[in-house]
RNA sequence: GGGCGAGUAGCUUAGCGGUAGAGCGCCUCGCUUACACCGAGGAGGUCCCAGGUUCGAAUCCUGGCUCGCCCACCA
């Protein structure tokens, strides 16, 4: 092969866009119907067109790309469906603000012109999020890109509405809904976010209509007093029993209202008397309706006092609150005012305080669909990861309420209902009916409202595939496999997709819901762009130069399912950047040593493989199995950690170093000690007995093949998490095929697992660490070659030669002949034990004191552990109740430590003797 | 008011019934021909608290404490 010298440094900013373009060009992201292959489908949680890529979205999207890329390599026909959401309120707000800056109002601009403006805005800035998704390396099928207001998708939304309307599940009604006075639209229950605020509780006296003290009520909302129609008390409340049935006077308006009894009143709150305002409070509305009380309204759609409120007319609700309170105070009817902390509902889009408001809206009855969805979850047809989320969603489904689906906006799917201006009949149809089916009238007006954005995204899993048409795509790709998302939209989106999927497709839209943890900053707070506590993905990738791979890996390695959130900071991305550099340099090393290597040559014979080769192959077999299993179990963080440890600690720190030893031993010119040992083999080559001896070339080639194979296949395992670096590395190495993206996922070679080699290398690592530690303790320069002797302490160790060879090289020492018991006379030694043998380092006289120190310290450290073991093994309870293998292990450990203790004492004693 | 999750080394965390692990940070060495975005060695932990179960608990149970999130029509 040709050896390409790699650049010394890896620059993701150059590499990443280059490979993304190549993949796009090759069409690897695109999935076509192919009955011969099994589909694997993930729906990208559609970002808003108003959006820019946020760390939160990156943390839920990246796991999806990992899964998609992994399955694609496994041979699945992988489809990751992308698209964007028109985001009704959010988008309308953006353009509305723009228009306001120009000094115009919505009404002045008009519906048609306004929508034109929004489309213009969308064309101008809507592509940002897509470019950013591409920069992250996401392998979405861009050819299938869908926008929720695309004509076909629009049609599907209308179809869904019309069918539900036809089934009687969508209906219109005048109800109390959550009203956002700023957006001037209804919103659903799920779009209300509760916030704690500091408020006051006013105690107001309502005098008796026929004299008498009347009753004192407590309220947070004095401005609604003007709409009061009753005062309610609990029927069992002794304090008010006499008052029930009498009338009291509402202050300011001097309206006589009844005192009623109702069980829903909490006698322990405030004074136990509740003012009833059916026009402005949900509970009051229910109580009022049960008691046949009238509904009075004093606040309009903007949250301002209505025209008939006299001196208060036109005041904003919060100003009115103060003004009404002071007017009542002037009458001497305020008993007291208490500070009060309470929670208020706010709009999840604009955070204005929600007003309970009675208006005409469209609702969707979800009870039947929710029951089906709950059944699908309970029966395991939809599984949640972590499973605890299933309970959370079930609780929502089991307590489902009607869904307010109409919005008083212009930007969105206009409700396909037409009302006859003569008879008032409402007809659902995609286009204006020619005449009214009831009265034949020809003037029909379309409903002015649009649908909740979440209504359109609820049909995403099948509407993107061509529904309502019976397309091949729909038949082949539905149902999908995984839906990955943050817990924040479990109800708003996930539950609704399950409900609507079952309803329209008679099947669940996906089988697995993967709930990713939320990213927090180091203080444990939300990452928020506006608060400046966020982390901008693009800034990390480009400006800071870490690259998308580093960001991806950093997020994946922390997205453990055991937690609902995790803390994240730039430093963590920098650490992964270092990991990338490590891989890059390892690749450079491998390439430098691949000269003369033929990737198409025959696999190495068992005897050609060195101990280190067998070890790393064994470790690779384990890691590939572990990574595959982790990905299958949605434990992506475990896969990332396993690869990090394997690459850095095992492949780089140990295997590459040992490969240097093996390569040197097989070099053409020089032959190291290891080779001299083998030299006897060469001499015997001529004899018939030794046909299985391998040549230097064979052994060299085996090392090269191992270096190449393990690196190349580790890159495949890592590719789903870090697509760019792995592609770049893979392309530099000898390879089959055009891209690692479409390379076959490594099947674990379980037959490579070699417990003997693993045990042997453990011995090497332990011995090397001991000698290195000794060097530091004794103050011996790292460059000085130590002379160590070998003392066998156990039975014959099969691979002793190789073990010692690696140990000597990695600890920068020279392994000399075996010594009996305590070594030659006249020399001083520090001894480090290994399994079955020990290493004696020759030291000069001046090092004796520090040698004694090291040995005594170890002797001391052994003490407590020895005591613990002795006590334990003397404990009758432990000996009789603990399982045999535990007892066995403890006993072996005791024997080992006792031997070491004796030996340390001997060595210390020997060091007492002055040298001759 | 319910429910869920978390509290392990300075920081971020793994482990979740048998001798407390990692990365970063810190200290001491070191440019040994892949890598100083590195290598070697090291210090650093009443595993939130109190009970209990067990031969044995960071790990299981009970009760606290502290944080975070979700749900809920207490004016």
């Amino acid at each position: 092969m040709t050896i390409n010298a790699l650049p010394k440094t890896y620059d993701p900013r150059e590499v990443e866009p280059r490979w993304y373009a190549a993949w796009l060009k090759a069409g690897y992201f695109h999935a076509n119907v192919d009955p011969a292959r099994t589909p694997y489908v993930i729906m990208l949680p559609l970002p808003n067109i108003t959006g820019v890529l946020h760390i939160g979205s990156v943390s839920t999207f990246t796991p999806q790309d990992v899964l998609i890329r992994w399955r694609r390599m496994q041979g699945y026909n992988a489809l990751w469906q992308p698209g964007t959401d028109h985001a009704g309120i959010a988008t309308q707000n953006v353009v509305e603000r723009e228009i306001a800056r120009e000094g115009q109002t919505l009404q002045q601009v008009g519906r048609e012109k306004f929508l034109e403006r929004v489309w213009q805005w969308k064309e101008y800035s809507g592509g940002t999020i897509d470019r950013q998704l591409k920069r992250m390396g996401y392998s979405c099928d861009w050819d299938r890109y869908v926008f929720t207001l695309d004509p076909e998708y629009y049609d599907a939304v209308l179809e869904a509405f019309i069918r539900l309307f036809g089934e009687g599940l969508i209906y219109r009604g005048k109800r109390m809904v959550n009203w956002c006075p700023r957006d001037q639209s209804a919103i659903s229950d799920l779009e209300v976010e509760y916030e704690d605020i500091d408020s006051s509780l006013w105690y107001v006296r309502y005098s008796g209509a026929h004299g008498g003290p009347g009753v004192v009520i407590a309220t947070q909302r004095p401005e609604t007093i003007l709409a009061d129609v009753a005062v309610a008390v609990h029927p069992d409340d002794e304090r008010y029993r006499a008052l029930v049935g009498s009338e009291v006077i509402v202050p300011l308006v001097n309206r006589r209202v009844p005192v009623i009894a109702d069980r829903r009143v909490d006698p322990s709150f405030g004074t136990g008397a509740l003012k009833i305002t059916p026009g402005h409070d949900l509970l009051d509305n229910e109580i009022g309706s049960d008691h046949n009380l009238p509904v009075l309204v004093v606040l309009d759609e903007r949250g301002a006092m209505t025209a008939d409120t006299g001196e208060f007319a036109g005041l904003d609700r919060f100003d009115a609150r103060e003004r009404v309170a002071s007017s009542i105070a002037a009458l001497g009817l305020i008993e007291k005012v208490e500070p009060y902390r309470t929670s208020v509902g706010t709009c999840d889009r604009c955070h204005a305080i929600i007003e309970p408001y009675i208006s005409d809206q469209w609702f969707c009855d979800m009870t039947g669909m929710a029951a089906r969805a709950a059944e699908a979850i309970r029966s395991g047809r939809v599984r949640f990861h972590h499973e605890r989320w299933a309970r959370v969603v079930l609780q929502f489904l089991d307590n489902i309420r009607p869904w307010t689906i109409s919005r008083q906006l212009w930007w969105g799917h206009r409700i396909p209902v037409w009302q006859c201006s003569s008879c008032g009949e409402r007809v659902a149809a995609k286009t204006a009916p020619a005449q009214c089916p009831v009265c034949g009238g020809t003037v029909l007006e379309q409903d002015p409202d649009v649908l909740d954005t979440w209504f359109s995204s609820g049909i995403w899993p099948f509407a993107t595939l061509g529904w309502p048409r019976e397309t091949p795509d729909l038949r082949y790709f539905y149902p999908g496999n995984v839906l990955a998302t943050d817990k924040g939209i479990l109800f708003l989106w996930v539950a609704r997709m399950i409900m609507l999927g079952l309803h329209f497709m008679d099947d669940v839209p996906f089988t697995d819901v993967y709930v990713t943890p939320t990213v927090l900053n180091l203080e444990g707070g939300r990452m928020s762009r506006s608060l400046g506590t966020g982390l901008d993905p693009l800034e990390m990738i480009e400006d800071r130069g870490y690259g998308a791979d580093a960001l991806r890996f950093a997020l994946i390695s922390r997205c453990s399912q055991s937690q609902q959130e995790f803390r994240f900071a730039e430093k963590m991305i920098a650490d992964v950047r270092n990991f990338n550099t490590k891989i890059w340099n390892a690749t450079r090393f491998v390439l430098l040593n691949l000269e003369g290597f033929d990737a198409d040559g025959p696999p190495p014979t068992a005897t050609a493989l060195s101990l280190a080769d067998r070890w790393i192959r064994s470790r690779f077999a384990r890691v590939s199995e572990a990574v595959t299993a982790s990905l299958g179990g949605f434990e992506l963080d475990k896969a990332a950690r396993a690869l990090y440890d394997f690459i850095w600690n095992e492949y780089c720190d140990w295997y590459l170093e040992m490969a240097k030893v093996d390569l040197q031993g097989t070099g053409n010119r020089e032959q190291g000690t290891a080779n001299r040992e083998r030299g006897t083999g060469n001499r015997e080559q001529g004899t018939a007995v030794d046909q299985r001896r391998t040549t230097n070339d064979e052994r060299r080639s085996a090392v090269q093949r191992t270096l190449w194979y393990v690196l190349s296949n580790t890159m495949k395992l890592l590719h789903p998490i870090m697509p760019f670096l792995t592609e770049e590395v893979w392309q530099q190495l000898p390879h089959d095929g055009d891209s690692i993206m479409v390379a076959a996922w490594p099947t674990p070679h379980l037959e490579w697992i070699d417990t003997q080699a693993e045990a042997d290398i453990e011995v090497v690592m332990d011995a090397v660490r001991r000698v290195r530690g000794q060097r530091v303790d004794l103050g011996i320069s790292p460059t000085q070659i130590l002379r160590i002797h070998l003392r066998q302490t156990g039975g014959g160790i099969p691979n002793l030669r190789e073990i010692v060879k690696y140990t000597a090289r990695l600890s920068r020492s020279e392994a000399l002949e075996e010594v009996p018991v305590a070594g030659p006379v006249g020399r001083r030694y520090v001894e480090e034990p290994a399994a079955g043998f020990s290493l004696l380092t020759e030291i000069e006289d001046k090092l004796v004191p520090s040698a004694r120190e090291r040995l005594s310290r170890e002797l001391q450290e052994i003490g407590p552990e020895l005591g613990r073991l002795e006590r334990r093994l003397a404990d009758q309870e432990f000996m009789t109740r603990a399982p045999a293998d535990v007892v066995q292990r403890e006993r072996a450990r005791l024997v080992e430590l006792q031997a070491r203790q004796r030996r340390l004492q001997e060595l210390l004693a020997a060091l007492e003797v002055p040298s001759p």
Side-chain angles (χ1 to χ4, degrees):
Chain A
M1 68 164 288
T2 342
I3 307 295
N4 300 312
L6 291 185
K8 272 205 94 161
T9 55
Y10 175 75
D11 181 9
R13 278 175 292 195
E14 183 274 320
V15 173
E16 296 185 343
R18 177 156 53 76
W19 282 119
Y20 199 84
W23 295 330
L24 258 185
K25 194 173 170 209
Y28 294 143
F29 301 161
H30 186 58
N32 281 320
V33 170
D34 177 1
R37 295 164 67 207
T38 310
Y40 182 83
V41 182
I42 297 182
M43 295 282 154
L44 176 75
L46 51 177
N48 293 350
I49 50 162
T50 53
V52 287
L53 201 60
H54 181 267
I55 192 79
S57 22
V58 169
S59 84
T60 66
F61 296 170
T62 304
Q64 300 173 46
D65 196 36
V66 172
L67 293 174
I68 277 285
R69 284 177 180 273
W70 168 52
R71 293 298 193 183
R72 190 184 287 120
M73 289 173 79
Q74 279 192 326
Y76 288 89
N77 194 1
L79 165 62
W80 194 12
Q81 172 70 50
T84 43
D85 193 307
H86 64 284
I89 297 178
T91 311
Q92 175 148 344
N93 281 348
V94 171
V95 180
E96 215 176 305
R97 272 197 297 273
E98 221 172 68
I99 287 172
R101 273 198 297 275
E102 296 162 12
Q104 282 185 291
T105 66
L106 275 189
Q107 278 60 37
Q108 285 169 328
V109 175
R111 188 166 192 144
E112 294 296 309
K113 285 270 179 256
F114 177 78
L115 289 179
E116 267 174 43
R117 284 287 297 265
V118 184
W119 279 104
Q120 275 169 20
W121 178 87
K122 188 237 168 201
E123 291 313 312
Y124 172 71
S125 62
T128 307
I129 189 82
D130 306 337
R131 282 193 300 279
Q132 294 179 327
L133 292 172
K134 288 174 180 168
R135 188 61 190 83
M136 284 302 297
Y138 295 154
S139 59
C140 309
D141 187 348
W142 297 106
D143 300 341
R144 293 176 175 272
Y145 190 86
V146 172
F147 177 52
T148 48
L149 289 176
D150 286 345
E152 281 190 30
Y153 198 92
Y154 200 120
D155 182 73
V157 173
L158 300 190
E159 177 79 21
F161 181 96
I162 290 166
R163 289 196 193 182
L164 291 168
F165 182 86
E167 291 160 26
L169 292 172
I170 286 181
Y171 56 91
R172 192 176 159 80
K174 190 165 190 154
R175 305 271 177 100
M176 182 162 273
V177 295
N178 303 297
W179 183 266
C180 175
R182 174 163 331 160
D183 297 330
Q184 294 191 32
S185 173
I187 59 173
S188 71
D189 295 336
L190 292 178
E191 290 158 294
V192 178
E193 283 179 0
Y194 287 89
E195 286 175 19
D196 283 345
I197 58 154
D198 286 311
S199 173
S200 302
L201 200 54
W202 283 266
Y203 287 76
V204 182
R205 178 169 299 279
Y206 289 25
S207 313
H210 306 288
V215 64
V216 175
I217 57 92
T219 182
Q220 294 181 70
R221 303 203 60 188
E223 74 278 16
T224 65
I225 284 176
L226 276 56
D228 281 0
V229 295
V231 168
V233 296
H234 191 93
D236 300 338
D237 195 332
E238 298 295 344
R239 296 170 295 180
Y240 301 115
R241 184 157 286 172
L243 275 175
V244 174
S246 73
E247 288 183 322
V248 291
I249 309 273
V250 178
L252 295 178
V253 289
N254 294 320
R255 184 165 43 243
R256 293 161 64 131
V257 298
V259 176
I260 59 173
D262 195 286
R263 303 209 156 265
R264 284 163 285 193
V265 178
D266 175 4
S268 66
F269 187 91
T271 62
L274 170 66
K275 77 187 196 66
I276 299 298
T277 321
H280 298 288
D281 183 275
L282 190 57
L283 177 64
D284 290 7
N285 191 266
E286 286 173 15
I287 293 176
S289 130
D290 292 349
H291 291 262
N292 288 314
L293 294 165
V295 177
L296 301 179
V297 171
V298 292
L299 288 167
D300 64 16
E301 72 283 353
R302 300 188 326 275
M305 299 296 280
T306 52
D308 54 1
T309 52
E311 57 173 313
F312 306 110
L315 283 178
D316 175 77
R317 52 195 163 144
F318 302 109
D319 297 332
R321 181 170 303 171
E322 300 301 325
R323 292 279 297 275
V324 170
S326 52
S327 293
I328 297 174
L331 298 172
L333 293 173
I334 301 270
E335 299 283 312
K336 62 174 172 177
V337 183
E338 280 179 352
Y340 184 61
R341 192 156 179 83
T342 186
S343 84
V344 295
T346 65
C347 170
D348 72 349
R349 286 291 151 204
C350 71
H351 289 96
I353 293 179
I354 289 302
E355 201 57 53
Y357 185 69
I358 295 168
S359 60
D360 281 312
Q361 301 292 342
W362 290 95
F363 300 92
C364 187
D365 175 7
M366 304 302 289
T367 46
M369 287 188 262
R372 269 189 93 180
E375 191 280 323
I377 294 169
R378 289 203 167 88
S379 67
R381 283 194 289 149
V382 180
R383 293 177 296 269
F384 284 77
H385 310 273
H386 187 284
E387 62 187 8
R388 81 178 90 92
W389 297 109
R391 290 200 304 275
V392 174
V393 172
L394 281 171
Q395 202 183 346
F396 166 70
L397 292 172
D398 292 343
N399 295 289
I400 200 80
R401 289 187 293 177
W403 178 7
T404 311
I405 53 173
S406 48
R407 298 289 178 274
Q408 287 63 56
L409 305 173
W410 287 345
W411 178 244
H413 305 89
R414 189 152 175 191
I415 290 178
V417 171
W418 310 77
Q419 186 175 21
C420 174
S421 50
S422 337
C423 72
E425 175 69 10
R426 286 192 169 85
V427 187
K430 288 178 187 171
T431 52
Q435 57 176 49
C436 172
V438 174
C439 72
T442 52
V443 183
L444 290 103
E445 296 273 351
Q446 187 173 7
D447 193 287
D449 292 350
V450 300
L451 287 163
D452 180 5
T453 296
W454 294 106
F455 184 88
S456 53
S457 40
I459 61 171
W460 186 253
F462 43 94
T464 48
L465 296 171
W467 186 89
R469 289 173 294 123
E470 269 287 328
T471 62
D473 276 345
L474 186 61
R475 269 196 301 276
Y476 181 74
F477 289 114
Y478 192 94
N481 299 75
V482 176
L483 192 282
T485 176
D486 185 82
K487 60 188 183 293
I489 52 176
L490 241 24
F491 306 154
L492 280 168
W493 193 46
V494 179
R496 284 165 177 171
M497 282 191 288
I498 298 173
M499 291 190 277
L500 294 167
L502 282 163
H503 188 77
F504 288 115
M505 294 295 297
D506 203 30
D507 200 352
V508 294
F510 32 74
T511 54
D512 294 90
V513 177
Y514 175 25
V515 181
T516 59
T518 309
V519 195
L520 302 177
N521 57 35
L522 287 185
E523 286 72 45
R526 274 234 162 84
M527 282 224 177
S528 153
R529 186 187 306 278
S530 49
L531 294 177
T533 53
L535 214 53
D536 179 6
L538 272 295
E539 186 192 334
M540 292 299 121
I541 295 172
E542 293 289 349
D543 305 343
R544 311 300 305 239
Y546 299 128
D549 277 339
L551 175 57
R552 292 170 59 115
F553 190 96
L555 287 166
I556 291 296
S557 64
R558 266 153 244 272
C559 71
S560 155
Q561 281 189 55
S562 63
Q563 306 195 131
Q564 296 183 354
E565 65 264 313
F566 65 98
R567 299 182 181 202
F568 195 65
E570 177 177 346
K571 187 75 184 70
M572 298 166 187
I573 308 169
D575 292 345
V576 181
R577 185 266 322 268
N578 296 353
F579 178 50
N580 286 356
T581 308
K582 188 75 182 176
I583 293 173
W584 186 248
N585 284 309
T587 306
R588 290 177 56 222
F589 172 81
V590 170
L591 284 173
L592 289 172
N593 286 283
L594 239 41
E595 205 160 342
F597 170 64
D598 176 14
D600 300 323
T605 60
T607 48
L609 291 167
S610 71
L611 175 59
D613 290 336
R614 285 188 283 124
W615 172 71
I616 198 69
R617 281 157 53 107
S618 179
R619 298 306 301 164
F620 175 75
R622 287 190 199 274
V623 90
S624 58
E625 191 194 19
V627 166
T628 307
S630 296
L631 293 178
F634 297 94
E635 297 179 308
L636 310 195
D637 57 315
K638 279 191 183 166
R641 262 199 308 279
L643 285 164
Y644 186 95
D645 291 343
F646 176 73
I647 292 171
W648 202 314
N649 302 134
E650 302 197 291
Y651 190 76
C652 292
D653 284 353
W654 292 99
Y655 178 67
L656 291 188
E657 295 306 318
M658 292 190 284
K660 287 176 188 172
V661 179
D662 289 330
L663 286 169
Q664 192 182 53
T666 59
N668 294 328
R669 274 155 290 185
E670 286 179 53
Q671 298 206 329
T673 44
N675 205 38
R676 278 203 298 279
E677 288 157 17
R678 290 282 192 166
T680 52
N682 288 343
R683 253 177 263 122
E684 284 164 1
Q685 236 171 11
T687 70
V689 186
D690 204 27
Q691 282 169 339
R692 294 182 56 232
R693 285 286 184 187
T694 50
T695 64
N696 274 344
D697 278 353
E698 281 171 322
R699 280 183 286 126
R700 182 178 182 81
S701 154
V703 177
Q704 289 180 322
R705 179 165 294 276
T706 307
L707 282 167
W708 163 75
Y709 182 91
V710 175
L711 178 59
S712 171
N713 282 280
T714 304
M715 288 306 101
K716 291 183 195 165
L717 296 177
L718 189 57
H719 178 261
I721 309 179
M722 300 216 287
F724 297 114
L725 173 75
T726 51
E727 177 78 291
E728 181 72 3
V729 166
W730 191 81
Q731 294 283 347
Q732 303 296 335
L733 296 166
H735 59 271
D736 291 329
D738 296 325
S739 165
I740 194 173
M741 250 198 85
V742 288
W745 186 253
T747 29
H749 282 281
L750 296 184
E751 75 280 9
W752 285 3
I753 291 177
D754 184 335
T755 47
Q756 183 59 50
E758 289 185 349
D760 288 346
I761 296 300
E762 274 302 319
V763 173
V764 171
M765 297 195 289
D766 188 51
V768 167
R769 278 191 274 256
R770 275 188 164 270
V771 176
R772 283 170 179 168
Q774 187 184 74
R775 194 188 278 274
V776 169
D777 281 354
L778 271 46
I780 303 170
S781 150
T783 50
Q784 187 184 331
I785 304 292
L786 293 177
R787 292 164 59 83
I788 55 174
H789 298 262
L790 194 63
R791 185 174 73 97
Q792 289 229 40
T793 54
I797 305 165
N799 296 312
L800 185 61
R801 286 279 160 224
E802 283 191 286
I803 290 172
V804 171
K805 176 185 71 180
Y806 293 127
T807 305
R809 258 298 293 275
L810 301 198
S811 62
R812 286 186 72 72
S813 49
E814 187 183 0
L816 305 175
E817 299 308 305
E818 261 184 57
V819 294
V821 198
V825 190
R827 294 285 187 189
R828 292 178 181 276
Y829 298 95
V830 183
E831 187 184 62
E832 301 298 340
F837 66 98
S838 62
L839 299 167
L840 291 87
T841 308
E842 289 184 19
I843 55 165
E844 297 164 32
D845 286 353
K846 65 176 183 187
L847 295 181
V848 167
S850 38
R852 283 187 56 82
E853 207 177 303
R854 176 175 166 88
L855 295 172
S856 332
R857 199 186 60 214
E858 191 188 343
L859 191 56
Q860 260 192 348
E861 282 168 359
I862 285 178
E865 176 69 358
L866 265 174
R868 192 190 65 82
L869 288 164
E870 277 162 359
R871 259 176 279 120
R872 215 156 182 210
L873 290 162
D875 183 351
Q876 270 313 310
E877 295 277 10
F878 172 73
M879 295 302 282
T880 52
R881 292 179 190 268
D885 63 310
V886 174
V887 175
Q888 179 58 35
R889 210 179 318 142
E890 297 285 69
R891 189 174 281 137
R893 177 95 181 114
L894 179 67
V895 169
E896 187 192 332
L897 281 182
Q898 283 170 333
R900 181 61 184 163
Q901 187 183 39
R902 277 194 304 276
R903 183 62 182 165
L904 284 167
Q905 283 158 349
E906 282 169 28
L907 289 163
L908 280 166
L911 287 170
E912 295 280 11
V913 183
S915 57

